[in-house]
Amino acid sequence: MQHWAVLPILIPLLAGTLMLLPPLAGTIRRQRIASLVSLTLMLVGALVLFRLSTQATQLYVLGDWQPPFGILLVADRLSSLLVLLTTVLAIGAVLYSLAGDDNRGKYFHSLMMYQLMGVNGAFLTGDIFNLFVFFEVLLIASYALLIHGGGKQKTQANVHYIVLNLIGSAFFLFALGMLYGTLGTLNMAQMSTRIAGLTPGASILAEAGALLLLVVFGLKAAMMPLHFWLPKAYASASAPVAAMFAIMTKVGIYSIFRVHTVVFGEQAGDLAYIAIPWIWPMALLTLVIGAVGVLAAPTLRTLVANLILISAGTLLVAVVLLNTQAVIGGLYYLVHTTLVTGALFLLADVIAQQRGQASDRFVVSRPMKQAPLLGLLFFIGAVTVAGLPPLSGFVGKALLLQAAQTATEMGWVWSTILLSSLAVIIGLSRAGTNLFWHVSGNKTGTDNARPIQLIAIAFLLLASPALVIFGGPATEFAEAAALQMQQMYPEVQTLIAEGQP
Amino acid sequence: MSLFWILLLPLLGTVVPLLTDRFGRTACAFATAALPALALVLVLLQVPAVFDGQSVVATLPWIPLLGLELSVHLDGLALLFAILVLGIGLLIILYARYYLSDKDSMGLFYAYLILFMTAMLGIVVSHNILQMWVFWEMTSVSSFLLISFWNHNSDARKGARMAMTVTGLGGLALLAGVIMIGNIVGSYDLTAVLSSGDLLREHAAYPVIVILVLLGAFTKSAQFPFHFWLPYAMAAPTPVSAYLHSATMVKAGIFLMARFYPVLSGTELWFVIVSLTGLTTLLIGAYTALFKHDLKGLLAYSTVSHLGLITLLLGMGSDMAAVAAVFHIINHAIFKASLFMAAGIIDHETGTRDMRRLSGLWKYMPYTATLAMVAAASMAGVPLLNGFLSKEMFFAETLDQSSLGSLSWMIPVLATVGTAFSVAYSLRFIHDVFFGGEPEELPKQPHEPPRYMRLPIDILVALCLLVGIWPALLIGNLLAVAAGAVVGGDLPDYGLYIWHGFNLPLLMSALAMTGGAYVYFNREKLFTFQAQFPEANANLIFDKSVKWVMKHCARFIDWFENGSLQRYAFLLILLALVLLGLPLIDLNTTAGLRPQIPVDAVMLSGAALLALSSLATVIWHRKRLIALLMLSVVGLIVSLAFALFSAPDLALTQLSVEVVTIILLLLALFFLPQSTPKESSPSRVARDLTIAAIFGGIIGTINYAIITRPLDSISDFFLDNAKSGGGGTNVVNVILVDFRGFDTLGEITVLGIAALGIYKLIARMGLFKPTSDDDGRPWTEDKHPMMLSVISQGLLPLALLVSAYIFLRGHNLPGGGFIAGLVTSIAIIQQYIAHGVDWLKDRLKLDYQKVIGSGLLIATLTGLGSWAFGYPFLTSWYDYWTWPVIGEFEVASAIAFDLGVYLTVVGATMLILANLGQHTTTERARETEHQ
Amino acid sequence: MEAIFAFCVGLMTACGLFLTLRGRTFPVVVGITLLSYAVNLFLFSSGRLLINGATILGQSDQYADPLPQALVLTAIVIGFAMTAFVVILAIRARSDLGNDHVDGRNPPGAGLPSDRLKEKN
């Protein structure tokens, strides 16, 4: 019996819980150690799972109950990759927090662990209601983390974030009611096979459910016009939390991908790809609004938050293009953008600290204490997110551009993606010149950034060159994952079939 | 393989200066030069092979799925540019050694410079056009760094940003073009691309491709209307201007056109766009240059015009024109680089570049002056110099072309005019700077520069002469192979002589010379004429426009993301409404075939009550206490409904949650205003009512449609296996703790996290002191009522007993850990209400955080227990534990799990309520002290 | 009966949504609670309605669909956790921002009770 598939959920659950109990409770030092230990374990686990998934999809039957009746975890290439990605990002965020952010309020490490549990669970589960549960886990953890460190802005942003998401959760349950009420099952793989067989009336109700789910996931994915909560929330969250949030929108996009292009995929008869026509315009608009936001941003944090919007839009485009090439590009881009935007949130924090009064606003300020070093890091990050060679940004972008096939697709996708890249170039060159060069007076009296902070940032940024140098293997893996996704969980289907008398 | 080293060496070279910086300027310079020099040697080693026409290619796989590979080659064109890039680059390194002041970080400068050199080299030797684009963008980035090298002055920053924006735009267009070419050809391999010219030209997308590629070329090579960024890039240190903005980077656009010449040219579209753009640029550049008082400004615009000249040649479409273009690329690089360096020396030794102050420098620096004059003469196209030869070719080509049909005669005429102006500004450069009286109060006492600072110019100027005199001998072959690569075929036979006899081109030269001289010596009139026009400062305009865009973006965002939750929520609901509503339009019959339950009076009245209380909640929502009461009524009836429709567990749960929620909300009202101000405008209310009503209608319809249809669900399995597999008769509970125990685990985790989060919220809460409610009635100071405390004290054990009972029977009858937990919490809360926090603190020593923790831990460990027996997480111990003796183990795992649930619920609920309750009391205690 | 049930669910949804669209935190919380009641009934009914049935084995000859009931139970608990958090957040927001408007700022010419409090802090 192999338990690898459930470890990414159990390890953080245990770690987070143990931190509430003696001997870990109360002393930040022990919690830090515990947190690092569990992250190391998770990294190992994620790597093993990753290796295994490339050989065969890892299925984990919880409670040993024959699917579709019990809850099933599905660790195929895609979900294992995302679990690994999440873990790496978390390592960066937690390392950074060790410099003191984690001690600005209680339970930081516990909550971080629970956040990880939620995200990993959402990636791994093959059961739609279980997906809801893990959504709630990661949401409640994010609510609690968002106010970590305190401050008016955090409270304010949190009110919007939570109320919108509570409405979203209500919609999620409505949608589940509609899907269960028509399909009579919760196992996603089984759902996908039942859709085509629905009576006309029921099929319409299922369609309504599927489309309502799009709203729910779109809210998490910050799909325009459901993106409003994001900029303020991300810009006000404390650095490690914001960095960790870089994966959150991806959960929504991943769910859209799983549900609306796989479960409601080509085998779904009348309901095949039912949501795609709706996502198209919203994806492009998300890109546009992100680009505008980048140009409008008054502070570096807001700018990076809008970069998250752009990445969300780009990934949604990758989803709706509905071809292997697009998925390859999307996966590559996803890894790249998650890690680098995470790093930028951390970097923005260091910059803000070293600029004293000016913080991270684009105004004249005294020069930073470690201007050259931070400048180099910023330059690397900027070149990467702007999609400029030789760093990883351009590969994903080029792959996506190649994926647009018909003339109409080209017209829309190319123009929006390229123009948003231009906006990013302009925005970032403005940001960089203002933050680092538009200075007066002598250096600020702030202390140097803690080594651990710089290590964390560098660690995440390292992904960029790595993804380029090993671009070949990376894209080939992405291809394998993409092809696997189009096969509708064959392993699960057989498992279910075995169960039927 | 050595081909890769041509690229790799300079790449490694970028770090060398950073490492050697500390060993002094000269050491650093030489160390920096070493690797590029080596690369140049490698290039030269390939010369024979290239001249023999062998294809020199080396390829490594990189990202196959992207069609991107590391592919380096040297054909004639690549060879020519590689030599230019590396050769001039080395001279620049030497020059910069003396040019940079001690304040400048030499290592950094060299690092940027070599980085650029690598990128530029990469463009020219790429055999894969996607890879070429990669290096193309790298030149933009590195030039950004170089232009803004003196980033303390704002012109440098602005100039850099302008260059970055313009070339960035071009780069993105080029990417699109390259990918389109790749899609059509099916490969990015240059050989494949070059061999499919007809395919491309006949493709429907050809015009788009041409425009995209030319956008890239024109932005990079500062062609009209994108020429404006180049003069402002002159804020860069002069070595940079000499290298990037005359010899190499601006030639990248030209190189691009030359590279794709065989496949993209040869159509009306290409000729018209390219030749007209070139011509316009040539004229504008030449004319503007004359009026620039800044030496570098003059040279910048002259560069623009010469680039236009080359573009024009590439637009003419005759093979000979291509030859001329390549020839002029070489010549311009040579004389312009030397001129920039000379200008740099003058700037360096006199402290100014303003020609109105400079004059008569001949006396002070005769040697430099001579060099500069020779170079300038070459720029003007004076015989015996290289500039003359290519200009003659150019004239000859303007004469026999017909790209403008009947208007073609204009081209030679305008070409002559343009050249006349270039003669004029060359004259001005020579005359204004080196002659014409004494210099006016220069910052420095001018004198000759250091010997080696001049050396690069010596070399280049020597080349001007030698090439001018023995062209065929020196660069005949190079030119031939390069031009051959451009036209992609055999070249027409042409002669590189100084003397072609008396012919029209010579006449045109003569005209240009005299005309230029005339213009220069009557320049005053022209200057006064030009003075009427306000000088358009592209920098300001660009800056303004960017600011304008940003301002309007900001304005839009402020309007769109106006921070109003009500708008955001409205949009969210609206979108859901649309997505839900549209499918229903196709739903012809709402009701399904499933037999429906008959209505009776009880249900009816219950429903009516439910409806009324919900409405009441809305109607009185401003009187918060009343709204709360109504809400509790709704909750009550909901739980009754659950009971009615055969869901006893739900009824119990709903009921107990109801109680706790209401207590919580009541507590909240202590801290919040007791009434809501009337602030929504009628229209807003109407809007919200409408959307809410429609949404409710849709949900109701869907609900009706669903529950009236038969359902084939997986639930029978649970009914069949609950006892046999889960060991319990209460199927719902078995599902919770066994079939779907994983959900429950997640659920209690949520509860626990919520408690932690709430603790964080309260812990940091700035305390304010509501001593009275909003109507000014003070909160009661009474002690806790005697009766209540007595009774509740008696009630506590009873309540605990009840919860224990509910807990234990849960697996087989309605109940279970969750409900039991809530009952317990309610009992404890009651004690709080009855006796107050402090009283209870002394008696009830419970760290709720630990309770939560242990609850979660127990539940998780129970699940892990099954690992010991080789079963998946959360497998209940019942269905395989065969020994009949300890059969009760069947329940064990489920009970243990439920215990975890119980503890978590108690811990969480109490952590929430106790903390909040504590606030109310401590508040009031403190308040009384104050009075 | 189904019709009446559906009507009630729809009505509660409408009321809940209307309240969540209000400008002050408390009505929003009430609205969300109301909405969650509706949601629970909706999800519960996706297993179809049945009277005098049972989910306890051996208590009746006809059984209600137990799965949605279990789901709703989970939903109730999660809903409770969420409501609790948002309520406390509302309190925190008022103490941080000096008023109980969802946007943390009183719209011009409205909202008296909190202003008094602002002056105090």
Side-chain angles (χ1 to χ4, degrees):
Chain A
M1 186 67 223
Q2 284 199 325
H3 300 291
W4 294 107
V6 76
L7 285 184
I9 302 170
L10 286 189
I11 297 174
L13 171 59
L14 271 174
T17 309
L18 287 175
M19 288 180 201
L20 303 176
L21 297 165
L24 297 182
T27 75
I28 189 74
R29 244 189 77 261
R30 292 184 190 154
Q31 291 188 1
R32 287 175 173 171
I33 295 163
S35 172
L36 290 180
V37 169
S38 59
L39 280 172
T40 327
L41 290 176
M42 287 169 70
L43 185 60
V44 175
L47 284 169
V48 174
L49 187 62
F50 186 72
R51 288 284 301 115
L52 292 175
S53 72
T54 52
Q55 292 145 20
T57 301
Q58 299 293 302
L59 300 179
Y60 194 79
V61 186
L62 284 149
D64 205 21
W65 288 111
Q66 164 68 36
F69 309 109
I71 294 172
L72 182 71
L73 298 184
V74 184
D76 56 8
R77 285 192 178 81
L78 175 58
S79 42
S80 325
L81 169 71
L82 291 171
V83 167
L84 182 60
L85 174 65
T86 313
T87 317
V88 173
L89 182 68
I91 292 175
V94 169
L95 278 182
Y96 185 92
S97 74
L98 297 184
D101 285 305
D102 59 349
N103 211 8
R104 300 230 166 83
K106 248 182 147 195
Y107 303 130
F108 176 84
H109 289 288
S110 273
L111 291 167
M112 212 61 168
M113 286 296 143
Y114 289 130
Q115 172 90 70
L116 278 170
M117 169 197 178
V119 174
N120 288 341
F123 285 142
L124 285 170
T125 187
D127 179 289
I128 192 104
F129 188 81
N130 195 238
L131 180 68
F132 165 79
V133 173
F134 278 115
F135 260 76
E136 297 304 306
V137 173
L138 72 87
L139 279 173
I140 189 78
S142 70
Y143 301 157
L145 280 171
L146 188 50
I147 48 128
H148 179 77
K152 288 186 188 331
Q153 296 80 356
K154 291 195 178 78
T155 319
Q156 181 42 45
N158 213 354
V159 173
H160 288 192
Y161 178 52
I162 294 186
V163 171
L164 288 175
N165 273 300
L166 285 179
I167 302 176
S169 303
F171 287 172
F172 202 154
L173 289 170
F174 275 133
L176 287 179
M178 297 173 201
L179 290 177
Y180 179 79
T182 48
L183 298 168
T185 182
L186 297 169
N187 178 300
M188 290 199 238
Q190 194 182 28
M191 283 178 140
S192 63
T193 54
R194 286 191 174 196
I195 297 167
L198 287 172
T199 62
S203 141
I204 287 173
L205 298 170
E207 177 184 353
L211 291 178
L212 188 55
L213 270 188
L214 176 63
V215 179
V216 178
F217 298 151
L219 183 65
K220 309 278 180 296
M223 177 172 69
M224 148 91 194
L226 311 173
H227 68 285
F228 295 98
W229 56 271
L230 188 140
K232 277 203 178 62
Y234 280 39
S236 63
S238 70
V241 175
M244 194 61 220
F245 280 10
I247 194 74
M248 299 264 281
T249 52
K250 292 17 173 220
V251 181
I253 291 159
Y254 167 82
S255 312
I256 291 179
F257 180 61
R258 273 253 148 125
V259 170
H260 295 102
T261 72
V262 179
V263 174
F264 284 83
E266 56 206 9
Q267 83 298 334
D270 306 346
L271 300 193
Y273 302 121
I274 191 69
I276 301 303
W278 291 99
I279 307 175
W280 259 112
M282 295 194 268
L284 295 176
L285 283 172
T286 315
L287 262 166
V288 173
I289 211 71
V292 175
V294 163
L295 289 175
T299 73
L300 183 55
R301 288 196 190 86
T302 325
L303 193 154
V304 182
N306 281 286
L307 288 176
I308 299 256
L309 284 184
I310 290 185
S311 64
T314 316
L315 286 167
L316 285 167
V317 169
V319 170
V320 290
L321 277 172
L322 291 179
N323 62 51
T324 318
Q325 178 80 5
V327 180
I328 298 169
L331 283 181
Y332 185 98
Y333 180 85
L334 189 155
V335 177
H336 138 86
T337 187
T338 309
L339 295 176
V340 175
T341 41
L344 281 176
F345 272 121
L346 301 180
L347 185 58
D349 188 50
V350 180
I351 291 176
Q353 281 165 15
Q354 296 213 354
R355 284 177 87 232
Q357 285 297 330
S359 181
D360 63 341
R361 277 174 288 118
F362 300 143
V363 294
V364 195
S365 77
R366 293 158 68 196
M368 280 168 252
K369 191 105 180 289
Q370 294 168 294
L373 180 57
L374 299 183
L376 177 67
L377 291 171
F378 178 83
F379 182 72
I380 294 174
V383 168
T384 309
V385 286
L388 291 174
L391 293 173
S392 56
F394 83 95
V395 179
K397 195 164 67 182
L399 280 165
L400 278 177
L401 294 183
Q402 287 176 345
Q405 316 222 303
T406 68
T408 12
E409 283 177 356
M410 281 189 182
W412 286 107
V413 173
W414 287 27
S415 50
T416 29
I417 289 191
L418 290 176
L419 285 178
S420 70
S421 318
L422 185 63
V424 175
I425 292 175
I426 297 175
L428 283 173
S429 58
R430 162 166 167 265
T433 42
N434 275 309
L435 292 171
F436 288 92
W437 294 340
H438 199 198
V439 292
S440 67
N442 43 5
K443 296 203 169 202
T444 48
T446 53
D447 350 342
N448 286 346
R450 300 284 198 75
I452 192 76
Q453 294 178 310
L454 300 174
I455 291 170
I457 297 171
F459 170 72
L460 291 179
L461 279 182
L462 217 59
S464 177
L467 277 171
V468 178
I469 295 166
F470 304 108
T475 44
E476 273 148 26
F477 173 85
E479 185 184 33
L483 294 173
Q484 190 178 38
M485 287 307 291
Q486 289 157 358
Q487 291 165 359
M488 295 296 321
Y489 318 99
E491 304 84 352
V492 186
Q493 303 297 1
T494 48
L495 199 57
I496 292 172
E498 287 162 13
Q500 311 302 0
Chain B
M1 196 54 225
S2 71
L3 281 178
F4 285 113
W5 285 103
I6 295 177
L7 264 183
L8 212 52
L9 287 173
L11 188 61
L12 299 175
T14 50
V15 290
V16 172
L18 297 171
L19 300 176
T20 56
D21 196 13
R22 68 178 76 94
F23 302 123
R25 300 158 68 83
T26 316
C28 181
F30 276 104
T32 310
L35 289 172
L38 206 54
L40 182 57
V41 173
L42 287 178
V43 171
L44 295 177
L45 287 179
Q46 299 291 343
V47 167
V50 179
F51 282 4
D52 296 354
Q54 305 169 13
S55 76
V56 189
V57 188
T59 305
L60 286 178
W62 185 4
I63 307 181
L65 282 165
L66 184 59
L68 182 58
E69 57 194 359
L70 284 174
S71 188
V72 178
H73 77 149
L74 272 181
D75 65 347
L77 192 60
L79 179 70
L80 168 64
F81 272 88
I83 293 173
L84 280 179
V85 171
L86 288 167
I88 298 185
L90 287 169
L91 297 179
I92 296 288
I93 293 175
L94 176 59
Y95 178 78
R97 146 77 181 80
Y98 294 94
Y99 179 87
L100 290 180
S101 74
D102 306 336
K103 296 194 300 300
D104 307 322
S105 155
M106 197 153 192
L108 204 58
F109 180 82
Y110 276 144
Y112 293 163
L113 198 72
I114 306 300
L115 180 66
F116 166 79
M117 184 189 277
T118 318
M120 190 65 207
L121 203 56
I123 295 182
V124 299
V125 300
S126 287
H127 192 62
N128 174 304
I129 58 176
L130 195 56
Q131 180 201 328
M132 181 180 77
W133 173 80
V134 169
F135 287 110
W136 177 279
E137 291 291 60
M138 281 170 69
T139 57
S140 302
V141 175
S142 48
S143 77
F144 175 83
L145 293 172
L146 283 166
I147 298 173
S148 60
F149 182 72
W150 286 327
N151 51 49
H152 46 76
N153 85 39
S154 83
D155 286 350
R157 295 197 298 269
K158 291 206 178 100
R161 263 158 61 184
M162 194 195 302
M164 186 71 206
T165 311
V166 177
T167 50
L169 169 72
L172 293 170
L174 178 59
L175 173 62
V178 164
I179 291 183
M180 282 180 114
I181 294 177
N183 288 351
I184 295 168
V185 176
S187 154
Y188 296 108
D189 180 80
L190 193 58
T191 331
V193 173
L194 290 182
S195 62
S196 38
D198 298 334
L199 178 65
L200 283 165
R201 276 186 291 264
E202 280 143 28
H203 196 281
Y206 170 77
V208 188
I209 294 177
V210 168
I211 288 166
L212 289 172
V213 171
L214 287 181
L215 254 177
F218 289 171
T219 47
K220 203 78 158 179
S221 286
Q223 293 300 294
F224 179 84
F226 306 106
H227 61 291
F228 59 86
W229 68 265
L230 185 55
Y232 292 96
M234 294 299 145
T238 303
V240 176
S241 319
Y243 191 38
L244 274 68
H245 306 124
S246 69
T248 54
M249 189 179 86
V250 287
K251 295 278 194 341
I254 305 289
F255 172 84
L256 188 69
M257 287 188 272
R259 187 87 277 179
F260 286 125
Y261 190 82
V263 285
L264 293 186
S265 76
T267 63
E268 195 58 23
L269 184 71
W270 172 277
F271 292 146
V272 172
I273 299 181
V274 176
S275 57
L276 285 187
T277 314
L279 188 57
T280 328
T281 319
L282 164 65
L283 291 168
I284 291 183
Y287 179 76
T288 328
L290 183 57
F291 301 101
K292 288 293 158 195
H293 301 301
D294 173 9
L295 268 181
K296 283 177 78 177
L298 183 150
L299 291 176
Y301 275 102
S302 108
T303 309
V304 169
S305 84
H306 279 270
L307 292 169
L309 188 157
I310 302 172
T311 310
L312 173 56
L313 278 168
L314 286 172
M316 288 180 179
S318 75
D319 293 354
M320 212 31 227
V323 179
V326 177
F327 194 18
H328 198 68
I329 291 175
I330 303 171
N331 296 331
H332 177 256
I334 295 174
F335 65 67
K336 192 52 68 69
S338 52
L339 279 170
F340 264 108
M341 292 198 232
I345 289 182
I346 294 164
D347 182 12
H348 201 261
E349 304 306 333
T350 65
T352 178
R353 298 191 317 232
D354 188 336
M355 280 187 282
R356 282 165 300 191
R357 298 171 64 187
L358 292 166
S359 49
L361 289 184
W362 171 264
K363 274 218 288 313
Y364 304 91
M365 38 175 79
Y367 195 110
T368 313
T370 326
L371 293 175
M373 285 190 280
V374 176
S378 168
M379 172 165 72
V382 174
L384 294 186
L385 294 169
N386 58 352
F388 171 72
L389 298 173
S390 43
K391 189 193 60 182
E392 289 294 292
M393 278 191 175
F394 165 61
F395 282 151
E397 286 319 300
T398 55
L399 288 168
D400 61 5
Q401 48 73 41
S402 55
S403 42
L404 294 188
S406 61
L407 291 182
S408 302
W409 61 269
M410 281 186 167
I411 295 188
V413 175
L414 293 173
T416 324
V417 174
T419 322
F421 272 101
S422 74
V423 173
Y425 64 68
S426 310
L427 269 172
R428 182 175 182 211
F429 182 91
I430 297 170
H431 184 259
D432 269 14
V433 176
F434 298 108
F435 305 99
E438 278 298 305
E440 304 160 25
E441 71 286 347
L442 295 175
K444 292 185 192 168
Q445 176 59 23
H447 56 77
E448 286 286 356
R451 174 84 191 75
Y452 290 102
M453 188 175 192
R454 218 167 44 205
L455 182 60
I457 313 181
D458 297 338
I459 297 169
L460 289 172
V461 169
L463 278 174
C464 288
L465 274 164
L466 296 172
V467 173
I469 298 167
W470 297 286
L473 182 68
L474 277 161
I475 57 162
N477 297 338
L478 186 57
L479 178 57
V481 286
V486 174
V487 298
D490 306 337
L491 290 170
D493 47 3
Y494 57 89
L496 289 175
Y497 321 114
I498 311 172
W499 181 248
H500 290 263
F502 289 102
N503 54 11
L504 244 75
L506 193 61
L507 175 62
M508 292 164 77
S509 300
L511 284 173
M513 289 292 171
T514 44
Y518 178 80
V519 170
Y520 176 67
F521 288 108
N522 301 294
R523 61 187 183 283
E524 299 314 329
K525 296 196 193 64
L526 210 51
F527 273 69
T528 43
F529 167 76
Q530 184 63 13
Q532 310 163 29
F533 307 103
E535 194 179 358
N537 180 338
N539 209 341
L540 281 180
I541 297 165
F542 177 83
D543 220 42
K544 273 213 190 72
S545 42
V546 170
K547 283 211 171 67
W548 186 89
V549 171
M550 291 190 166
K551 194 174 96 233
H552 284 73
C553 287
R555 203 173 278 170
F556 173 77
I557 291 288
D558 291 346
W559 166 81
F560 189 56
E561 300 173 4
N562 64 348
S564 155
L565 178 64
Q566 284 163 288
R567 165 183 289 188
Y568 304 165
F570 180 78
L571 286 172
L572 167 63
I573 296 169
L574 186 65
L575 184 64
L577 181 99
V578 174
L579 287 177
L580 269 181
L582 288 183
L584 293 190
I585 294 170
D586 312 338
L587 186 62
N588 309 326
T589 54
T590 315
L593 309 167
R594 196 167 176 282
Q596 303 196 11
I597 303 167
V599 187
D600 66 28
V602 185
M603 297 185 195
L604 208 54
S605 45
L609 192 52
L610 185 66
L612 289 175
S613 45
S614 322
L615 287 171
T617 321
V618 172
I619 293 160
W620 285 313
H621 76 271
R622 265 192 224 81
K623 299 191 175 45
R624 295 182 172 180
L625 201 58
I626 301 176
L628 198 50
L629 291 176
M630 291 304 143
L631 184 69
S632 56
V633 176
V634 177
L636 223 59
I637 301 169
V638 168
S639 51
L640 288 179
F642 285 137
L644 173 67
F645 296 113
S646 13
D649 284 274
L650 283 181
L652 272 175
T653 317
Q654 176 66 49
L655 197 62
S656 37
V657 168
E658 181 67 17
V659 177
V660 181
T661 315
I662 296 300
I663 295 175
L664 191 63
L665 289 174
L666 279 170
L667 267 176
L669 271 187
F670 173 81
F671 296 95
L672 294 171
Q674 276 79 44
S675 67
T676 307
K678 194 174 188 334
E679 55 195 5
S680 307
S681 65
S683 56
R684 161 76 56 89
V685 174
R687 181 195 79 177
D688 295 351
L689 274 177
T690 330
I691 189 172
I694 299 175
F695 199 97
I698 290 177
I699 288 295
T701 321
I702 294 179
N703 192 5
Y704 182 68
I706 288 178
I707 59 182
T708 51
R709 284 179 161 70
L711 170 67
D712 149 44
S713 93
I714 56 173
S715 325
D716 297 343
F717 175 90
F718 301 114
L719 295 167
D720 302 342
N721 295 272
K723 185 89 192 86
S724 54
T729 52
N730 179 355
V731 186
V732 175
N733 183 276
V734 175
I735 293 178
L736 281 173
V737 298
D738 196 339
F739 293 108
R740 299 185 66 88
F742 202 51
D743 279 346
T744 314
L745 186 61
E747 154 203 329
I748 56 175
T749 318
V750 170
L751 200 54
I753 302 170
L756 302 185
I758 288 168
Y759 184 91
K760 281 171 79 75
L761 279 170
I762 297 174
R764 276 184 168 267
M765 190 145 75
L767 308 174
F768 61 91
K769 310 181 175 65
T771 51
S772 62
D773 68 8
D774 295 339
D775 313 337
R777 286 187 299 263
W779 294 103
T780 169
E781 293 290 331
D782 295 354
K783 291 272 158 290
H784 308 279
M786 192 60 178
M787 278 296 281
L788 183 56
S789 50
V790 172
I791 298 171
S792 54
Q793 225 160 334
L795 275 177
L796 181 58
L798 186 63
L800 292 177
L801 208 65
V802 173
S803 54
Y805 171 66
I806 294 178
F807 174 82
L808 287 171
R809 68 175 219 161
H811 213 45
N812 299 310
L813 290 165
F818 182 75
I819 303 167
L822 282 175
V823 173
T824 314
S825 336
I826 295 167
I828 302 177
I829 294 163
Q830 197 191 12
Q831 302 309 310
Y832 275 103
I833 298 169
H835 303 282
V837 180
D838 314 327
W839 182 88
L840 208 66
K841 264 220 204 107
D842 311 337
R843 290 162 183 70
L844 185 66
K845 300 245 176 295
L846 257 185
D847 180 344
Y848 297 121
Q849 171 188 329
K850 288 204 186 69
V851 178
I852 298 175
S854 39
L856 286 172
L857 193 61
I858 291 173
T860 318
L861 291 178
T862 318
L864 282 172
S866 51
W867 283 13
F869 309 89
Y871 282 85
F873 185 66
L874 276 176
T875 312
S876 62
W877 295 4
Y878 167 77
D879 55 350
Y880 60 87
W881 197 264
T882 45
W883 303 341
V885 191
I886 31 178
E888 78 267 12
F889 262 70
E890 117 203 351
V891 196
S893 71
I895 286 283
F897 186 80
D898 227 8
L899 178 65
V901 176
Y902 172 83
L903 288 175
T904 318
V905 172
V906 175
T909 326
M910 293 320 299
L911 191 64
I912 297 166
L913 289 169
N915 270 298
L916 196 57
Q918 197 151 353
H919 261 277
T920 62
T921 52
T922 47
E923 288 308 319
R924 296 166 59 192
R926 203 171 304 150
E927 189 58 25
T928 39
E929 284 155 24
H930 283 298
Q931 289 154 352
Chain C
M1 186 59 218
E2 276 78 359
I4 299 173
F5 183 92
F7 169 78
C8 290
V9 171
L11 182 71
M12 289 163 72
T13 314
C15 297
L17 281 180
F18 176 78
L19 287 181
T20 47
L21 284 168
R22 297 302 92 214
R24 300 281 164 173
T25 48
F26 193 82
V28 171
V29 174
V30 172
I32 285 170
T33 321
L34 204 51
L35 187 59
S36 63
Y37 291 154
V39 166
N40 294 339
L41 284 176
F42 185 94
L43 184 56
F44 165 71
S45 69
S46 68
R48 309 303 185 255
L49 301 180
L50 176 67
I51 298 197
N52 313 325
T55 55
I56 314 294
L57 296 174
Q59 277 195 349
S60 158
D61 48 359
Q62 53 174 12
Y63 292 106
D65 185 340
L67 187 52
Q69 297 194 16
L71 302 187
V72 172
L73 246 162
T74 311
I76 292 177
V77 182
I78 291 178
F80 168 62
M82 293 295 171
T83 320
F85 192 93
V86 73
V87 169
I88 311 293
L89 180 67
I91 300 170
R92 165 76 177 268
R94 195 207 181 179
S95 80
D96 276 6
L97 308 165
N99 66 70
D100 71 333
H101 194 281
V102 285
D103 302 331
R105 50 166 191 266
N106 282 321
L112 303 154
S114 46
D115 293 348
R116 206 195 307 145
L117 195 136
K118 244 200 198 125
E119 292 146 20
K120 258 174 121 177
N121 297 8

